[in-house]
Amino acid sequence: MSRNSDRQQPPVTRPGPSPSHTVGRRGVMRLLGFGAVALSPLGILPPILRATVGRGPIHSRGEFARAPNGRIRQWVMMIDLRFCDGCQKAQKPPLCTTACLEGHYAPEPMEWIQVFEGDLAGGGSQFIPTPCQHCQNAPCNNVCPVGATFATPEGTILIDQDRCIGCRICMAACPYDRRFFNWGKAPVPPESLLAHYGPEHQVPVKKGTVMKCDFCPDMARAGALPYCAQGCPNHAIYFGDLEEDLAANGKDVVAVSRFLAQNHAYRLNEHLGTKPRVYYIPGHGEAVGRDVFTKGRLPTRWPWIERIKGARTWKR
Amino acid sequence: MNSIAIKATLISIALSATLFGLVTTASAAHIHMQVVGPAELSIGHPADVRAVLRSAGDDLPVAGATVTFYVTASFDGANGLVELGKAVTGQDGVAVLSYVPRSAGEHEIRVEYLTPGATEPEVATWSHPASGADQLYRSTAGIHVPGLNVWVIIAVVSTVWLILFSVALRVIAIARAGDDADIAAGHSSPRPAGAVSSSTGAGHQP
Amino acid sequence: MEEVGTRRARLEQTALAPVLKTSRRYYVWVAFLIAVIAWGVYAYSVQLREGLVVTGMRDRISWGLYITTFVFFIGISHAGTLISAILRVTQAKWRTPVTRMAEFITVVALICGAMFVLVDLGRPDRAFNVVLHGRWQSPIIWDLVSITTYLTASIVYLGLPMVPDLALFRDRLVGRGPAWRVWVYRVGAVGWQGGASQKRSLGAAIGVMMILIIPIAVSVHTVVSWIFAMTLRAPWDSTIFGAFFVAGAIYSGIAMLIIVMAVLRKVYHLEEYITEKHFVYLGFMLAAFSLIMMYGNISEYVTAGYKLKEGEEVHLRQLFLNQFAGFFWYYFVGGLVLPGLIILFPWTRNIAGIVVAAGLAVVAMWVERYFIVVAGLRVPLMPYEPSNYAPTWVELSVVAAGFALFALLITIFVKIFPIIAVWEVAEDLELAEASPADGHIALEGAMQPAGGSQ
């Protein structure tokens, strides 16, 4: 840096840059080496920060769900579309969705399991209850910049709403439209605010974060079926464990591998390579008497009488 | 002579009736089914479970009979029989099912054979505990992002920043050379315009 | 021929003028920009309080104006790289009067672009999580790293060639103007006295930077495009996104540079140094890149349209015929074909025509980002009716504030830093003086007697 020098120094003539006043070659090498050493922790810096300043790994996650002899459960869901009629016969909005949103206080308009009505290639329509597919090659998990969307050893994909920054790249990445954003103050009932939050129990909702179906891990660990499986009047939804090869729908027990193979199970958008954990048995509700050309289901309703102050809903 | 013939006919009729009766009863209701399981059941390893069908009377193998295999299981509050599959007996009267035990604990395999025309199936069971606690399935989600090596990214980024660092060193060199020129010239006032670029020659007042 | 000395003096005077004199027009302009920014800050405060529900974004179309403008600004930032670095590497002498502006634009555009990512976050209070918990596998982290690197490199690449000019300012402006400004010049000039060793060091540093910054810039817009291309959405599932976005970035960068150049030239009377030739040469580059963009678009849409896979047909219909037709055809015809034609025909190939072409191009590139983001998200993934996106006043206000911030930062830069690379232009003048016979074509304007430069 130049100094506003008023010094009385004898002029020293130098023929050119002298080694002692330029950063010589050796000096450069030394400094470069130092720089390299300084930069090498770049890869391990995030874990160090996490352990010291940051919050550490995802918190409030329960124990792994285990089978009786200690093996980790591998949750899988099978939806038998021969038994799904969109609750046309029951003349109600789809009861799987209703049970889920009531159990989780899911704010309007979130339908974590959503019953789509798709056209069949040969004509007619079928109802497709679509929860989060808990992909084994989940695009949402791959793109999350902060690891707020994470995979569990049971194969489910959960969200830590305390770490989510709300960038929504996971919503752009999900090919099944199964992620929902808390755009504003969510219209939930006041009693939901009393719950103790954890990634396995996404209550209460947090503004500015993403939510979705989580396969009800707290219930699954305790040996109960998820809300949607319990709510279905036709017992169309099976929930099971790939490790023990067993699944149940509230009425029957089946061997997962046999059930899938002999009923020609398929997965949604298989060609995308996401490897979902949700299987579908082809059908259109014929086992409960639905005619394939009977279209339409009732729209989902959120039953909260009271909502927290200042909340407003939004359209999807 | 007549009485002997009549007696012989009567006896033969009685005998054949008895024989006939015996034969029909043997083929109608008395099929003996036995389930023969493997000596060891290890979780995740297939083992053959055999159902042996023999006719009760003459102990002949019953071929071409379809038997159904079940295992009793319970999951998430539901109990019941889980159908494992059907198999057909061969000439030796044996139907084989390849069974891979997956759940822990006792495995009770139940085989049912419904005789044509009967209402109640023949049932035979076999029970054995399964050993082993190896995790068969591993969740693959999120553990491996295929094709991406994080260390390559770190190496590339570090190289770029090192080069930026070397540029910073040059700037320091400029600053130090500036100090030199300061000392060398020994001036104390702002340089005239000509000193900005030494190639412009004589200074020129703005 | 004028004496080199007088030309040199006039050059320095022109460079110093903006810093010394401030007109009333300037203050009015700055006040207007600050008003727009203040309104945008208010709109953002509403968004912070109520949540992103005040925008038009919803679950089905979860990105909108903010991400559009972010990508747009990052694209603009390629102006500096192209002009300064590539033209310096290829030793195109005509670049010297415009390099400074190009480098300004780069730094300012990066700052504005980064701002829009933060504005788009649902939880900006947790933005630091990307550092604490960043995952190297995420395209957003690649973005963070490359944009940070590019911003640092651009600031260095702006500061380095500015060192001799800052030394000039340091020497000339002592006692004139606020003391802090002279302190800025002193610090920025890092003791520059014009000595031989200093020149060597500076030349080496600039040489390293001009080569380094080109791959950095290419990587920046490539990873920005991968935020879209790493998803499974049909309109984004394209392997050429990286190259396509880099070409688009350079195109929009050149266009923005032409506009800024025209404005500053007019306001600060730089006609002697920035001549029609500069506009024409940049215009040729604009036309070349418009051809590249057209080629990229045709490649994508023809290959997708021939096959019409599921989702592609919905997308092409909404883009060419239905909801986004107006946007797309303005972009293609008005933003790619028309600027190319304007530059192709000699009777429109003048400063006015080229500035119009650049204006069309800049708007078209913003529109292109818009329909890439919104139309890309609109294609349904499951059997449902597609939603529609309509930006609200909050989004429009914040976007306007972003553009105002861009203009304001350039305006302030011009007040503090030299807008022309004085020493580089001076060097060119001397070289031309030394060998007038083979003077470079681009300096004809500067060398002719006064009055003949237009």
Side-chain angles (χ1 to χ4, degrees), chain A residues 277-302:
Chain A
R277 277 270 178 100
V278 178
Y279 290 83
Y280 291 86
I281 310 294
H284 59 267
E286 63 269 25
V288 286
R290 176 177 170 261
D291 178 75
V292 73
F293 291 110
T294 316
K295 284 195 191 282
R297 66 159 175 94
L298 290 168
T300 307
R301 287 209 312 264
W302 286 257

Side-chain angles (χ1 to χ4, degrees), chain A residues 1 3 5-6 11 21 31 43 69 71-72 74 136 141 151 153 155 223-225 239 242-245 248 253 255 258, chain B residues 43 75-76 78 82 84 102-104 132-137 139-142 154 162 165 169 175 179-180 182 184 187-188:
Chain A
M1 307 283 216
R3 295 184 293 272
S5 51
D6 222 334
H21 280 270
L31 281 163
N69 64 350
R71 291 140 67 205
I72 301 174
Q74 298 295 317
Q136 295 306 290
N141 181 43
L225 288 174
F239 186 75
L242 284 172
E243 185 65 28
E244 289 221 310
D245 204 31
V253 189
R258 290 251 162 201
Chain B
I43 292 177
F75 187 79
D76 273 5
V82 175
L84 296 174
R102 296 282 285 274
S103 50
D134 290 337
Q135 185 82 17
L136 301 168
Y137 244 93
S139 164
T140 57
I154 295 177
L162 273 175
F165 190 68
L169 294 178
D179 289 350
D180 268 3
D182 249 1
H187 75 289
S188 62

Side-chain angles (χ1 to χ4, degrees), chain B residues 50-65:
Chain B
R50 292 180 162 73
V52 185
L53 257 65
R54 291 184 172 277
S55 52
D58 50 8
D59 205 31
L60 289 172
V62 178

Side-chain angles (χ1 to χ4, degrees), chain C residues 335-407:
Chain C
L336 292 183
V337 174
L338 205 53
L341 289 177
I342 289 177
I343 291 157
L344 177 69
F345 297 133
W347 51 88
T348 44
R349 198 189 307 149
N350 46 40
I351 294 187
I354 292 173
V355 172
V356 165
L360 288 172
V362 156
V363 174
M365 288 315 290
W366 190 93
V367 164
E368 190 234 17
R369 307 306 193 216
Y370 176 78
F371 67 68
I372 285 181
V373 171
V374 177
L377 285 169
R378 190 172 174 273
V379 175
L381 300 162
M382 295 293 287
Y384 57 79
E385 280 303 305
S387 326
N388 286 307
Y389 168 73
T392 59
W393 70 273
V394 170
E395 289 168 285
L396 292 167
S397 308
V398 174
V399 169
F403 279 101
L405 180 69
F406 179 77

Side-chain angles (χ1 to χ4, degrees), chain A residues 123-139:
Chain A
S125 67
Q126 67 178 164
F127 288 100
I128 314 170
T130 315
C132 166
Q133 305 285 294
H134 294 276
C135 308
Q136 295 306 290
N137 181 20

Side-chain angles (χ1 to χ4, degrees), chain A residues 31-73:
Chain A
L31 281 163
L32 275 177
F34 174 71
V37 169
L39 279 172
S40 58
L42 197 64
I44 58 170
L45 192 60
I48 293 176
L49 281 175
R50 265 196 290 272
T52 53
V53 177
R55 250 194 324 103
I58 307 277
H59 77 157
S60 307
R61 232 203 124 259
E63 282 300 305
F64 302 154
R66 291 182 186 274
N69 64 350
R71 291 140 67 205
I72 301 174
R73 296 277 194 197

